[in-house]
Amino acid sequence: MHGGLGRTMPSARNVIDTEGLLVRAVPFGETDVIATFLTEAEGKLGAMIRNGRKPSKRLEGVLDPFHTLALRLDDRGKELCVLREARIVKVRTALASDLNALDAAGKSLRWARHLCPPRIKEARAWEIVNSLLDELNRSPEGASDALLAKTGLDLLSAV
């Protein structure tokens, strides 16, 4: 074929291995999920999770918020990466025992999603959110307005 018609160029592909927190998951189509992660290495990233709504061992617990995840993403230079692998590396189940702790954790993840720009590493924001989640997991009943307010101000200052 002349002039490259009918040929496909190999796509630029980068693999991202990083820890991350799920900050949002939205159903897409019948079986997929579009997730937003706050990652340690790349900042906030969007990712397509193929068959994310189907029960599978591959994603067991990964779409539950508050756990720290080890992520492997294919980045093809588009708006969304594609999630290839994920596993939980830090479980935070104790914070689910208290509604105030759940509310504080959810607010902190929502703030991080709104404050952190896409694909810009925000190491301090990563530390702040993880510290709050760890504290809430250690002492769920210790979730206080003061702790949440401090976290919010720290996030604003960091970003």
Side-chain angles (χ1 to χ4, degrees), residues 2-157:
H2 298 290
L5 294 175
R7 295 156 94 183
T8 57
M9 298 297 292
S11 61
R13 190 171 172 180
N14 185 26
V15 175
I16 300 170
D17 288 308
T18 184
E19 287 192 352
L21 295 166
L22 177 70
V23 295
R24 186 174 191 199
V26 178
F28 182 78
E30 289 186 29
T31 61
D32 298 336
V33 173
I34 295 177
T36 305
F37 296 101
L38 178 63
T39 69
E40 182 178 29
E42 300 285 330
K44 184 173 71 174
L45 291 175
M48 175 65 70
I49 304 175
R50 303 274 182 222
N51 296 314
R53 294 171 61 192
K54 289 184 177 181
S56 74
K57 281 221 174 261
R58 174 180 83 96
L59 295 173
E60 194 168 352
V62 169
L63 294 179
D64 296 335
F66 315 129
H67 307 306
T68 300
L69 308 170
L71 303 170
R72 173 163 278 193
L73 302 150
D74 281 345
D75 182 5
R76 297 181 179 151
K78 297 181 180 176
E79 187 175 341
L80 292 176
C81 298
V82 176
L83 182 71
R84 290 294 168 218
E85 295 175 33
R87 63 183 168 79
I88 298 173
V89 294
K90 187 175 215 176
V91 178
R92 294 186 180 100
T93 54
L95 75 92
S97 67
D98 184 87
L99 287 177
N100 289 330
L102 277 174
D103 185 54
K107 282 180 182 174
S108 71
L109 292 176
R110 212 168 23 259
W111 291 343
R113 178 172 53 99
H114 288 292
L115 286 172
C116 295
R119 296 183 180 260
I120 295 177
K121 183 177 180 177
E122 295 286 353
R124 185 71 184 117
W126 169 257
E127 291 170 14
I128 291 165
V129 173
N130 271 285
S131 292
L132 175 67
L133 294 176
D134 288 342
E135 179 64 30
L136 293 172
N137 193 57
R138 271 191 302 277
S139 171
E141 60 285 339
S144 67
D145 291 340
L147 179 62
L148 189 59
K150 180 186 179 320
T151 298
L153 290 173
D154 289 347
L155 270 174
L156 283 170
S157 163

